[in-house]
Amino acid sequence: MTATELPASLLPESLRATLPGSAYTDPQVFALEQEKIFERMWFCAVRTSELDAPGKFRTVQVGRESVLVTRSREGAVKAFLNICRHRGARLCTEEAGEVKRAFQCPYHAWTYGLDGKLVAAPNLTSMPDVDRTTYGLVNVHVREWLGYVWVCLAEEPPSFEEDVIGAATERLGDPKAVDHYQADELAVGRRIRYDVRANWKLIVENFMECYHCATIHPELTEMLPEFKGGFAAQYYVGHGAEFAEEAQGFTVDGSAGVQRIPGVTEEQDRRYYAITIKPQVFVNLVPDHVIVLRMIPLAADRTVVECDWLFLKDVVDSGADLDRSVELFHRVNVQDFEACERCQPAMDSRAYARGGVLVPSEHHIGAFHDWVTARLSD
Amino acid sequence: MTATELPASLLPESLRATLPGSAYTDPQVFALEQEKIFERMWFCAVRTSELDAPGKFRTVQVGRESVLVTRSREGAVKAFLNICRHRGARLCTEEAGEVKRAFQCPYHAWTYGLDGKLVAAPNLTSMPDVDRTTYGLVNVHVREWLGYVWVCLAEEPPSFEEDVIGAATERLGDPKAVDHYQADELAVGRRIRYDVRANWKLIVENFMECYHCATIHPELTEMLPEFKGGFAAQYYVGHGAEFAEEAQGFTVDGSAGVQRIPGVTEEQDRRYYAITIKPQVFVNLVPDHVIVLRMIPLAADRTVVECDWLFLKDVVDSGADLDRSVELFHRVNVQDFEACERCQPAMDSRAYARGGVLVPSEHHIGAFHDWVTARLSD
Amino acid sequence: MTATELPASLLPESLRATLPGSAYTDPQVFALEQEKIFERMWFCAVRTSELDAPGKFRTVQVGRESVLVTRSREGAVKAFLNICRHRGARLCTEEAGEVKRAFQCPYHAWTYGLDGKLVAAPNLTSMPDVDRTTYGLVNVHVREWLGYVWVCLAEEPPSFEEDVIGAATERLGDPKAVDHYQADELAVGRRIRYDVRANWKLIVENFMECYHCATIHPELTEMLPEFKGGFAAQYYVGHGAEFAEEAQGFTVDGSAGVQRIPGVTEEQDRRYYAITIKPQVFVNLVPDHVIVLRMIPLAADRTVVECDWLFLKDVVDSGADLDRSVELFHRVNVQDFEACERCQPAMDSRAYARGGVLVPSEHHIGAFHDWVTARLSD
Ligand code: FES
Ligand code: FES
Ligand code: FES
């Protein structure tokens, strides 16, 4: 019998067990996560600026549902289940688009206003029982923060302040620290979508620890020397990793970045902060840009990750060269996702039936595991 | 709670619930349908003329079985399970072909006559226990009607007269009405195969109603103006939809069709009739041709549809231009199947967990749903 | 009711039932076979010569595990589960390769010696609880025989002498008969990998009987005329099938082969012997070469087969033309695997629910079926 076969309680004091391998491969566990995590919590769905006029829309997969996010005549963001109330046709099959003033189902032409109300249908006047509100689109809760639309499929959403904003406060130690980056006013300078063949939890765990940094992130550890030590910025409340002395900016070659975001404080300057907002958002803060990753879990072994690099609007509009800024974290992403994809196929091994071990610099991942376990048994 | 979340019995009087979404996606429901519907009922398998000589054969998927349909020396149509009785090799892997006088298994050369009897095998004479009838091919029941071979996998098939011919009688109100089209003497002018990513029941429902006609079938509603109103020909017993006054024939542009089928009555002329023969056949009758669709359900979310356009033999032999006649219903098919494919992925939505609603002009679909439900609980 | 629907005990005396069709298609049966057969028995994994220096490695799928086979500094063959003990990354993703002196996990750089011991890790010195042996790679048992590495995932492996060597003795009737071919000193003249879309048991059954030889193996039966009669060499203990008089060697056209293996006896000369070593190895012996097939079952309906043609080292080194020798059994392989692939899709048929029949010359396959059944109910 080897150590990892011991009940977790009998592991040596400095080690903790991870989740068992089946938690990363079992389709039933994944279905439960869809239901109890992604369909009940706030889910960061769409960049607000993608909906810059009434009738613009985006569709996005949230848990097992396709959600249609749009902007109403009045300028409010709205979200609905993307399915016609008549006989179930998918309303919008495109990922993004624009309608004039209503969504018309292409099957029998039931027509819904931008607020979701049923406004027209063939023979509707002779069908008084088809109530325009009852048979309107099914509403999904929305909130806006950091320039993103967050949606929640729960009938009674959890507290956005606690679950979402609270995660940033807890990490940075100050409720206002994240506001200095004015993320909601920044523009998307670059977006890259990664199709990762790994369970979403492997991606979270990877983001939370820096024990791997020295091994797989040569560019990042050159930029942030303390990461060579293996402790993630996330390990300490309020801590930001300091740029290398010789680095002029947060770029792949240490060359100067672009214009600094005005609100960023002196204390925040030349530092890198990382925030995990459970269950599916990672926010990275540096003085001149913000990097936001949103995971879209599609299967136990597949997760799409959309990553936005946000800069000052003026910077983006000026056509400034963003390549070296983007390249740094793009490389980090690729390095991380390859590591996750390397773990996924081994999760089924008998050697991982009781999981692996967390070394001291990874212990805070245990809290994530406990949180997942608690959500699923809820 | 919205209306569709009410038990069906509490829906407003003018509305009926459809089947729940899971009926269209659950592999177990589909397996049950294969067993209790497609493997127990008469299944329209092959055009008789495809077997125009002894030894010609076709293989076709019926429920979960591959069936081999052929013609014997004596000229009779025969059907067998397409599997060798020795150690289970698939006898014929081609979709169509011709053998001289027997089917020889390519594994150990067991050889079966066109009547299915085991006629030869290596060392057969020294194996007296291998009875030539007992170890003959497994017979499948056959009937011929409308120029098609219908097969039934049940040990005791249901009444062909009631289930198949009766469906046409019930629809047209007259047992002889369909005979006027002499479908068994017509020739296949065109065959198109559609691979539809939708559950077979969505295709049946689509065929049964015309509430969608005004939205998705511009050519058809121009030809059959009453279809703009949303009521399917199938809604009324014996009713045929009248051609538009300006239309000369049932063609995509209203131009003249080809030679009228002699048996068609004056009452039937310039009219379109549609018949659903459960579980998998649609017959469309117009004065100069007959359009027969046969569904071959392959998975909960996949159905192959083979559509034949049948014309008088002389017309086909003469090389007459059939394109405009074929084009009309080919467009209808494509329009319909796209609508079905648009519904399939949304069947899993929480908004469809209890199904959608049938408006008054769709109420007759409810009878189809009741029939399916009854068959499955049989 | 037909004969095969009878309980096996009521079949005519000269016939035996095969396994039911579901044994070849049910994923749960396959999972059980992985657990109770392939993960508990000796599994022939790798040609020893592929590991001709310390640090050379190969990865191979054994049951549901990826196994890493390598050679230590001391020259001993070693095998491990191919998974890092830290957080489960697959150690080696390539099929074959070479490391200098250790396997370093590419995620957090835990580093394992060629003997599996943990030799280094970031911060290892400050993590005294990470014991270098406890957290070493998980060992897999190894044996060498016939020039192959055999591995066993069981904690307590079964007797290699009985299970593996015993199979050859039982077949050839003499424990030394196989040694005359000096298989461990031969060189791989050719290796061909076949990806077979069939259950592994269909491949075993096919290899065990020769009732199919006359039908599908024209070249082989010309070489071994007695195979036309339908009785496999394996049917009689110690029997080797005699070459055709006009054949000069075991080649596709009967032309002369290459240099005879010195140890082969006069009695063994001009004869073909075949051995099945359950569960996944077939050995074919002819005077101038040895053909070894290893099955790697990947799914109920998919089996990879690696086939090696082994000749004297001098022959291989001399660049002698081996094509005609290889071509004979390569054709046999293709013919056999096509037959197996033809059976696979029909295993689901209702006509095979209780299986097919074994004729007298196939009765010995029944013992294989009994063995499988006993293993699974163990
Ligand atoms: S399904 Fe949308 S209008 Fe009928
Ligand atoms: S499986 Fe057909 S003859 Fe053996
Ligand atoms: S998973 Fe191998 S070192 Fe961490």
Side-chain angles (χ1 to χ4, degrees):
Chain A
M1 180 181 264
T2 61
T4 50
E5 281 159 356
L6 297 170
S9 57
L10 296 185
L11 274 180
E13 209 173 319
S14 73
L15 301 178
R16 293 196 55 167
T18 70
L19 293 173
S22 58
Y24 304 85
T25 59
D26 185 338
Q28 292 186 351
V29 170
F30 182 71
L32 220 54
E33 291 171 344
Q34 292 280 49
E35 178 193 339
K36 300 201 165 185
I37 294 177
F38 300 103
E39 296 175 10
R40 287 205 192 152
M41 298 186 70
W42 286 101
F43 190 102
C44 186
V46 174
R47 182 79 189 155
T48 313
S49 62
E50 295 181 73
L51 311 169
D52 57 3
K56 282 249 188 141
F57 68 86
R58 259 209 67 183
T59 56
V60 65
Q61 189 72 17
V62 178
R64 294 158 300 187
E65 298 289 343
S66 172
V67 172
L68 174 63
V69 192
T70 190
R71 191 175 290 281
S72 74
R73 289 278 113 204
E74 294 73 32
V77 169
K78 296 280 179 184
F80 314 104
L81 295 186
N82 182 16
I83 172 174
C84 178
R85 299 301 306 278
H86 172 224
R87 276 193 19 233
R90 178 75 72 230
L91 266 191
C92 299
T93 52
E94 313 84 344
E95 186 168 278
E98 182 166 11
V99 297
K100 279 249 164 90
R101 73 195 64 221
F103 293 100
Q104 186 176 68
C105 175
Y107 198 172
H108 310 85
W110 282 31
T111 306
Y112 305 90
L114 297 178
D115 58 356
K117 231 172 114 178
L118 181 65
V119 294
N123 309 335
L124 185 57
T125 49
S126 62
M127 302 191 294
D129 288 337
V130 180
D131 181 81
R132 289 162 189 239
T133 302
T134 307
Y135 288 99
L137 296 179
V138 177
N139 264 290
V140 171
H141 298 278
V142 295
R143 284 291 295 265
E144 291 178 65
W145 192 56
L146 302 184
Y148 287 89
V149 180
W150 305 64
V151 302
C152 182
L153 293 178
E155 257 177 79
E156 314 235 339
S159 161
F160 191 87
E161 282 63 30
E162 280 178 31
D163 274 18
V164 180
I165 301 176
T169 303
E170 188 184 13
R171 190 29 215 106
L172 301 180
D174 173 359
K176 287 180 192 148
V178 73
D179 297 340
H180 301 152
Y181 293 85
Q182 303 158 252
D184 54 340
E185 294 178 20
L186 301 180
V188 179
R190 192 75 49 88
R191 167 169 292 181
I192 299 181
R193 179 180 297 205
Y194 305 87
D195 197 338
V196 187
R197 299 286 158 173
N199 186 273
W200 68 279
K201 297 190 295 297
L202 290 177
I203 300 175
V204 173
E205 295 162 9
N206 169 277
F207 189 76
M208 290 181 80
E209 53 93 355
C210 205
Y211 185 49
H212 66 272
C213 289
T215 311
I216 70 175
H217 297 316
E219 302 88 352
L220 187 66
T221 50
E222 190 146 342
M223 170 60 56
L224 307 170
E226 71 184 64
F227 275 14
K228 288 180 188 139
F231 281 83
Q234 302 194 44
Y235 204 80
Y236 315 99
V237 171
H239 176 70
E242 208 168 352
F243 290 5
E245 248 176 74
E246 64 279 14
Q248 295 182 268
F250 195 77
T251 58
V252 72
D253 55 3
S255 61
V258 296
Q259 197 189 319
R260 179 169 145 189
I261 299 166
V264 168
T265 65
E266 282 313 307
E267 198 199 330
Q268 293 173 321
D269 196 16
R270 292 187 63 76
R271 285 189 181 266
Y272 162 86
Y273 296 86
I275 309 166
T276 303
I277 303 175
K278 289 192 297 275
Q280 45 93 241
V281 180
F282 310 139
V283 181
N284 302 277
L285 305 167
V286 292
D288 62 344
H289 61 286
V290 172
I291 305 163
V292 178
L293 294 95
R294 286 166 293 126
M295 294 195 292
I296 303 155
L298 296 181
D301 58 358
R302 185 172 170 218
T303 309
V304 163
V305 183
E306 249 180 47
C307 181
D308 291 340
W309 281 259
L310 309 174
F311 299 86
L312 286 172
K313 268 204 179 65
D314 287 351
V315 168
V316 173
D317 291 345
S318 74
D321 184 358
L322 308 173
D323 285 355
R324 282 166 308 168
S325 298
V326 170
E327 183 66 14
L328 175 52
F329 223 80
H330 170 56
R331 287 199 195 171
V332 169
N333 285 340
V334 169
Q335 290 153 353
D336 279 336
F337 300 154
E338 277 179 5
C340 296
E341 290 184 335
R342 195 163 186 123
C343 291
Q344 184 66 34
M347 293 293 103
D348 266 332
S349 172
R350 58 172 69 186
Y352 216 73
R354 290 180 183 237
V357 286
L358 301 174
V359 299
S361 60
E362 300 172 312
H363 277 193
H364 55 306
I365 296 179
F368 168 65
H369 292 152
D370 293 345
W371 175 84
V372 170
T373 304
R375 293 285 318 182
L376 296 198
S377 60
D378 203 26
Chain B
M1 179 180 267
T2 60
T4 51
E5 282 160 356
L6 296 170
S9 57
L10 295 185
L11 274 180
E13 208 174 320
S14 73
L15 300 177
R16 293 196 55 167
T18 70
L19 293 173
S22 58
Y24 303 87
T25 59
D26 185 338
Q28 293 186 351
V29 169
F30 183 71
L32 220 52
E33 291 172 343
Q34 292 281 49
E35 177 192 340
K36 300 200 165 186
I37 294 178
F38 299 105
E39 296 174 10
R40 287 205 191 153
M41 299 185 70
W42 287 100
F43 190 101
C44 186
V46 174
R47 182 77 188 157
T48 312
S49 62
E50 296 182 72
L51 311 168
D52 57 4
K56 284 251 187 139
F57 69 84
R58 259 208 68 182
T59 56
V60 65
Q61 189 71 17
V62 178
R64 294 160 299 187
E65 297 289 343
S66 173
V67 172
L68 172 63
V69 192
T70 190
R71 191 174 291 280
S72 75
R73 290 274 117 204
E74 294 73 32
V77 169
K78 297 279 178 185
F80 312 104
L81 295 185
N82 181 15
I83 173 174
C84 177
R85 297 302 304 281
H86 172 224
R87 276 190 21 230
R90 179 73 73 229
L91 266 191
C92 299
T93 52
E94 315 83 344
E95 186 169 275
E98 185 168 6
V99 295
K100 279 248 165 92
R101 72 195 68 219
F103 294 99
Q104 186 176 68
C105 175
Y107 199 171
H108 310 84
W110 283 30
T111 305
Y112 305 89
L114 298 178
D115 58 356
K117 232 172 114 178
L118 180 66
V119 293
N123 309 335
L124 186 57
T125 48
S126 62
M127 302 191 293
D129 288 337
V130 180
D131 181 80
R132 289 163 188 239
T133 302
T134 308
Y135 287 97
L137 297 178
V138 176
N139 263 291
V140 171
H141 298 278
V142 295
R143 284 291 296 262
E144 292 179 64
W145 191 56
L146 300 184
Y148 286 90
V149 179
W150 305 64
V151 302
C152 182
L153 293 177
E155 258 177 76
E156 314 236 340
S159 161
F160 191 87
E161 281 64 29
E162 279 177 33
D163 273 20
V164 180
I165 302 177
T169 303
E170 187 183 14
R171 201 8 227 114
L172 301 181
D174 173 359
K176 287 180 193 148
V178 74
D179 297 339
H180 300 150
Y181 293 84
Q182 304 157 250
D184 54 341
E185 294 179 17
L186 301 181
V188 179
R190 194 74 49 88
R191 167 171 291 180
I192 299 180
R193 179 181 295 206
Y194 306 88
D195 197 338
V196 188
R197 299 285 156 173
N199 187 271
W200 68 280
K201 298 190 294 298
L202 290 177
I203 300 175
V204 172
E205 295 162 11
N206 169 279
F207 189 77
M208 290 182 79
E209 54 92 356
C210 205
Y211 185 49
H212 68 270
C213 289
T215 311
I216 70 174
H217 297 317
E219 301 87 351
L220 186 67
T221 50
E222 190 145 343
M223 170 60 57
L224 306 170
E226 72 184 64
F227 274 15
K228 287 179 189 139
F231 280 84
Q234 303 194 41
Y235 204 78
Y236 315 99
V237 171
H239 177 70
E242 208 168 354
F243 291 6
E245 247 176 73
E246 62 281 13
Q248 293 181 268
F250 193 78
T251 58
V252 73
D253 55 2
S255 61
V258 295
Q259 198 189 318
R260 180 171 145 189
I261 299 165
V264 167
T265 64
E266 282 314 305
E267 199 199 329
Q268 292 173 322
D269 196 16
R270 294 186 62 77
R271 285 189 181 266
Y272 161 86
Y273 297 87
I275 308 167
T276 302
I277 302 175
K278 290 192 297 276
Q280 46 92 243
V281 179
F282 309 140
V283 181
N284 302 276
L285 305 166
V286 292
D288 62 343
H289 61 286
V290 172
I291 304 163
V292 178
L293 294 95
R294 284 167 294 128
M295 294 194 294
I296 302 155
L298 296 181
D301 58 358
R302 187 172 169 218
T303 309
V304 163
V305 183
E306 248 181 46
C307 182
D308 290 339
W309 282 260
L310 309 173
F311 298 85
L312 286 171
K313 269 204 178 66
D314 288 351
V315 167
V316 173
D317 291 345
S318 74
D321 184 359
L322 308 172
D323 284 357
R324 281 165 308 167
S325 298
V326 169
E327 182 68 14
L328 175 51
F329 223 81
H330 170 58
R331 288 199 194 170
V332 169
N333 284 340
V334 169
Q335 291 152 352
D336 280 336
F337 300 153
E338 277 178 6
C340 296
E341 289 184 335
R342 196 165 185 122
C343 291
Q344 183 66 34
M347 294 293 102
D348 265 333
S349 172
R350 59 171 69 185
Y352 216 73
R354 290 181 184 237
V357 285
L358 300 174
V359 300
S361 60
E362 299 172 313
H363 277 193
H364 55 303
I365 296 178
F368 168 65
H369 292 151
D370 294 344
W371 175 85
V372 169
T373 304
R375 293 285 318 185
L376 295 197
S377 59
D378 203 24
Chain C
M1 180 180 264
T2 60
T4 49
E5 282 161 355
L6 296 170
S9 57
L10 296 184
L11 274 180
E13 208 174 318
S14 72
L15 301 177
R16 292 195 57 165
T18 70
L19 294 173
S22 59
Y24 304 85
T25 59
D26 186 338
Q28 293 186 350
V29 170
F30 182 72
L32 220 53
E33 291 171 343
Q34 293 280 49
E35 178 193 340
K36 299 201 165 184
I37 294 177
F38 300 105
E39 295 175 10
R40 287 206 192 151
M41 298 185 71
W42 286 102
F43 190 101
C44 186
V46 174
R47 183 78 189 156
T48 312
S49 62
E50 296 181 73
L51 311 169
D52 56 4
K56 283 251 186 139
F57 69 83
R58 259 208 68 183
T59 56
V60 65
Q61 188 71 17
V62 178
R64 293 158 301 186
E65 297 289 343
S66 174
V67 172
L68 174 63
V69 192
T70 190
R71 191 176 290 282
S72 74
R73 288 275 116 206
E74 294 73 31
V77 169
K78 296 278 179 185
F80 314 104
L81 294 185
N82 182 14
I83 172 173
C84 178
R85 297 301 306 281
H86 172 224
R87 275 189 24 231
R90 178 73 74 228
L91 266 192
C92 299
T93 53
E94 314 83 344
E95 186 169 276
E98 184 167 7
V99 296
K100 279 250 167 89
R101 74 194 66 220
F103 293 99
Q104 187 175 67
C105 176
Y107 199 171
H108 311 84
W110 282 31
T111 305
Y112 304 90
L114 297 179
D115 59 356
K117 230 173 116 178
L118 181 66
V119 294
N123 309 335
L124 185 57
T125 48
S126 62
M127 302 191 293
D129 289 335
V130 179
D131 181 81
R132 289 163 188 240
T133 301
T134 308
Y135 287 97
L137 296 179
V138 177
N139 263 292
V140 170
H141 298 279
V142 294
R143 283 292 296 264
E144 291 178 64
W145 191 56
L146 301 184
Y148 286 89
V149 179
W150 305 65
V151 302
C152 182
L153 294 177
E155 258 178 77
E156 314 235 340
S159 162
F160 191 85
E161 281 63 30
E162 278 176 35
D163 274 19
V164 180
I165 301 177
T169 303
E170 186 183 15
R171 195 21 219 107
L172 301 180
D174 173 1
K176 288 179 191 150
V178 73
D179 297 338
H180 301 151
Y181 293 85
Q182 303 157 250
D184 53 340
E185 295 178 19
L186 302 180
V188 178
R190 194 74 51 85
R191 168 171 290 180
I192 300 180
R193 180 181 295 207
Y194 306 87
D195 197 338
V196 187
R197 298 285 158 172
N199 187 272
W200 67 280
K201 298 189 294 299
L202 291 177
I203 300 175
V204 174
E205 295 162 10
N206 169 278
F207 188 75
M208 290 181 80
E209 54 93 356
C210 203
Y211 186 48
H212 67 271
C213 290
T215 311
I216 70 175
H217 296 318
E219 301 88 352
L220 186 66
T221 50
E222 191 147 342
M223 171 59 57
L224 307 170
E226 72 185 63
F227 275 15
K228 287 179 188 141
F231 281 82
Q234 303 194 41
Y235 203 78
Y236 315 98
V237 172
H239 177 70
E242 207 169 352
F243 289 6
E245 248 175 74
E246 64 278 15
Q248 295 182 267
F250 194 77
T251 59
V252 72
D253 55 3
S255 60
V258 296
Q259 198 189 319
R260 182 170 142 188
I261 299 166
V264 167
T265 64
E266 282 313 306
E267 197 198 331
Q268 292 172 322
D269 196 15
R270 293 187 63 76
R271 285 189 181 268
Y272 162 87
Y273 296 86
I275 309 167
T276 303
I277 302 174
K278 291 191 296 276
Q280 47 92 243
V281 180
F282 309 139
V283 180
N284 302 276
L285 306 167
V286 292
D288 62 343
H289 61 288
V290 171
I291 306 163
V292 178
L293 293 95
R294 284 166 295 126
M295 294 195 294
I296 302 154
L298 296 180
D301 59 357
R302 187 174 168 216
T303 309
V304 163
V305 183
E306 249 182 45
C307 182
D308 290 340
W309 281 259
L310 309 174
F311 298 86
L312 286 172
K313 270 203 177 68
D314 287 350
V315 168
V316 173
D317 291 345
S318 73
D321 184 359
L322 307 173
D323 285 355
R324 281 165 309 167
S325 296
V326 169
E327 182 68 15
L328 175 53
F329 223 81
H330 171 56
R331 286 199 196 170
V332 169
N333 284 340
V334 169
Q335 290 154 352
D336 279 337
F337 300 153
E338 277 179 6
C340 295
E341 290 184 334
R342 194 162 188 126
C343 292
Q344 184 66 34
M347 293 293 102
D348 265 333
S349 172
R350 58 172 69 186
Y352 216 73
R354 289 181 184 237
V357 285
L358 300 174
V359 300
S361 58
E362 300 172 313
H363 278 193
H364 55 304
I365 297 178
F368 169 64
H369 292 151
D370 293 344
W371 176 84
V372 170
T373 304
R375 294 284 320 183
L376 297 197
S377 60
D378 204 26

